[in-house]
């Protein structure tokens, strides 16, 4: 395989949207760093890729694993060449709760660590590499639930709302710092996408007897959800083709 000039780091690349994005970017010749906890799932994705890839099993909610991830990526870029041009904060969780009293604060902390703290800390860690690759792009995967409170969705909604605020903060801070080599940042709202993450969420919401479970289940049955490959193609076009002014600071969706 040829050595890619550009690399993308994708968190949550072992399944769903992240795995489809890895495939779509790889088909365009981008080297992909595949990150997630399940090594077997990452390797299965790697086997399907057209371009060079680096598998790094890591729990990105752990500061120790994030440090190991940084070391692995820096080592690969140093020995193999190429630049880290894209950072995609895709990994996310949002377990439903049966009711307010049953909303577990420990679960909220776990979701916050993955959905909010990890994108902040990974952006900080990879900022020098992204600046060396200027112009570089960061894409953060949000969720519509951030702005639509529904019963039992506090953990998912609160943390995705915080992620959206982190996106705004990064755009604001980078504009204030005014260094021309800082990355552009966008928030991507995928809408409903048929993935194992969504199916797991529906099953958990059904077990909690939550009203949105029936709606999601019906939407999946009626084919209203997009498939992950279609969403990944939209993300790839956003990362590789969208003019900078249409990317930086924008909330983007498939089909736009
Ligand atoms: N599907 C939808 O309809 C939809 C709608 C709106 C937003 N989203 C967002 O889209 C993103 C991708 O979701 P998806 O639907 O593709 O679900 P998914 O298939 O469950 O993907 C999530 C990925 O995150 C990884 N992950 C979870 N915890 C991790 C951790 N601590 N460290 C590293 N990786 C971790 C998982 O792999 P491991 O378990 O192996 O770590 C998994 O591959 C999420 O941010 C989700 O909130 C999805």
């Amino acid at each position: 395989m040829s050595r890619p000039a550009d690399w993308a780091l994708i968190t949550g690349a072992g399944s769903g949207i992240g795995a489809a994005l890895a495939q779509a970017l790889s088909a365009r010749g981008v080297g992909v760093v595949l990150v997630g906890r399940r090594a077997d799932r990452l390797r299965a994705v790697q086997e399907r890729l057209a371009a060079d890839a680096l598998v790094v099993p890591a729990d990105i909610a752990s500061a120790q694993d994030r440090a190991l991830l940084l070391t692995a990526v820096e080592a690969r870029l140093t020995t193999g060449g190429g630049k880290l041009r894209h950072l995609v904060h895709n990994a996310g969780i949002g377990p439903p709760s049966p009711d307010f009293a049953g909303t577990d604060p420990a679960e909220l902390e776990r979701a916050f660590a993955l959905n909010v703290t990890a994108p902040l800390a990974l952006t900080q860690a990879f900022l020098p590499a992204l600046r060396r690759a200027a112009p570089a792009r960061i894409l953060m995967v949000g969720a519509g639930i951030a702005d639509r409170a529904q019963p039992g969705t506090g953990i998912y909604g609160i943390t995705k709302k915080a992620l959206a605020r982190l996106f705004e903060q990064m755009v604001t801070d980078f504009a204030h710092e005014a260094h021309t080599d800082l990355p552009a940042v966008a928030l991507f709202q995928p809408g409903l996408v048929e993935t194992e993450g969504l199916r797991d969420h529906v099953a958990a919401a059904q077990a909690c007897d939550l009203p949105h479970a029936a709606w999601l289940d019906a939407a999946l049955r009626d084919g209203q959800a997009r498939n992950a490959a279609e969403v990944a193609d939209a993300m790839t076009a956003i990362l590789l083709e969208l003019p900078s002014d249409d990317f930086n600071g924008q909330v983007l969706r498939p089909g736009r």
Side-chain angles (χ1 to χ4, degrees), residues 99-151:
D99 52 25
F100 187 77
T103 303
D104 182 355
E107 219 158 17
L108 177 65
E109 283 177 8
R110 276 196 292 279
F112 201 91
L114 176 65
N115 294 356
V116 188
T117 308
L120 168 69
L122 285 176
T123 301
Q124 291 170 328
F126 284 100
L127 207 46
L130 291 164
R131 293 180 76 167
R132 287 198 298 275
R137 292 185 170 186
I138 298 173
L139 194 59
M140 307 168 77
V141 180
I145 196 79
D147 295 315
R148 286 195 300 273
Q150 294 177 44

Side-chain angles (χ1 to χ4, degrees), residues 201-212:
H201 180 88
V202 172
Q206 281 168 337
C208 292
D209 205 18
L210 295 175
H212 75 287

